[in-house]
Amino acid sequence: YTIQSFNLDDEALNRKTGANTAPPRTFSVDSTVPVVTGVVIAPARVDETGAVTVTFDVSEDVGDAAPRLDVKIGGRAPDVCSRAGGAPAVHYTCTYAMKGTEIAAGTEAAQTVIITTADLTGNMGTASGGIVFDFKDPAVVGTAQAALVPGAGNPLSGVKTVTDKTTVQVAFTVSEPLVADPVVATSSPEALAFTLVSGAGATSYV
């Protein structure tokens, strides 16, 4: 917009038209919201010694600190945020190192990640996501069940004694999906290692 002239009216309704004698003044109106896209929160679950990384893109540069950029991870500000790139979007990376005091020991809780942006004219954009603070160790639920499976050619079922070619199976359930295979072994009279049959990445194992 360009301001070139304006009118002046007094209380008696006298009007002075074209009162502006200064050079024209130009201004623009910005009603475009800074759009936040491509939000990635890693990892999906974090323990008390881990770190959270939040990456996202913003349609314009909003700086890297409040009040124009405000990131909250479970209500906590990240330790550092950095930005790179330019048009058509600015890429942001924010990190937060867990302190171990965010939730009670031995518990887990879902947390919300909120990203708020503001440009120089005050237009605001928001985006959100989630993460789980997990300070709880996985555990076996109930009692593990052991079974003896007869070897090939053995017509018996429900055998009670391990013989040659007998397979010992141990089935159990854990409290949450595991990222690594559980280790099952005997300690006496000799150490026997078990091989995972099923359950990778799940909660029920054999």
Side-chain angles (χ1 to χ4, degrees):
Y1 294 88
T2 300
I3 300 177
Q4 293 183 338
S5 64
F6 50 89
N7 299 328
L8 301 177
D9 294 324
D10 63 15
E11 293 182 350
L13 301 182
N14 298 305
R15 167 169 286 191
K16 172 66 175 179
T17 61
N20 182 40
T21 59
R25 296 291 187 266
T26 301
F27 67 94
S28 60
V29 175
D30 180 3
S31 59
T32 303
V33 172
V35 179
V36 181
T37 58
V39 179
V40 176
I41 304 166
R45 305 175 75 92
V46 62
D47 65 14
E48 59 267 40
T49 62
V52 182
T53 300
V54 181
T55 58
F56 53 94
D57 296 324
V58 183
S59 57
E60 57 185 287
D61 193 340
V62 293
D64 54 13
R68 295 181 60 201
L69 176 67
D70 185 34
V71 179
K72 289 293 188 293
I73 301 169
R76 298 159 182 83
D79 299 315
V80 62
C81 284
S82 61
R83 68 188 190 277
V90 181
H91 184 72
Y92 284 83
T93 301
C94 298
T95 58
Y96 174 78
M98 299 294 289
K99 311 302 186 291
T101 58
E102 289 81 3
I103 59 175
T107 65
E108 61 180 63
Q111 306 288 318
T112 302
V113 176
I114 301 175
I115 303 166
T116 305
T117 60
D119 63 17
L120 291 174
T121 58
N123 297 310
M124 299 184 67
T126 61
S128 62
I131 189 172
V132 175
F133 291 172
D134 185 354
F135 294 3
K136 186 178 182 180
D137 293 334
V140 174
V141 178
T143 303
Q145 302 296 318
L148 303 181
V149 180
N154 188 337
L156 300 178
S157 61
V159 296
K160 304 297 183 181
T161 303
V162 175
T163 59
D164 185 33
K165 296 185 174 61
T166 299
T167 299
V168 180
Q169 284 192 348
V170 179
F172 57 96
T173 301
V174 293
S175 57
E176 60 184 287
L178 306 179
V179 296
D181 293 343
V183 176
V184 179
T186 60
S187 57
S188 66
E190 60 180 303
L192 300 176
F194 287 71
T195 302
L196 181 66
V197 175
S198 65
T203 56
S204 296
Y205 287 85
V206 177

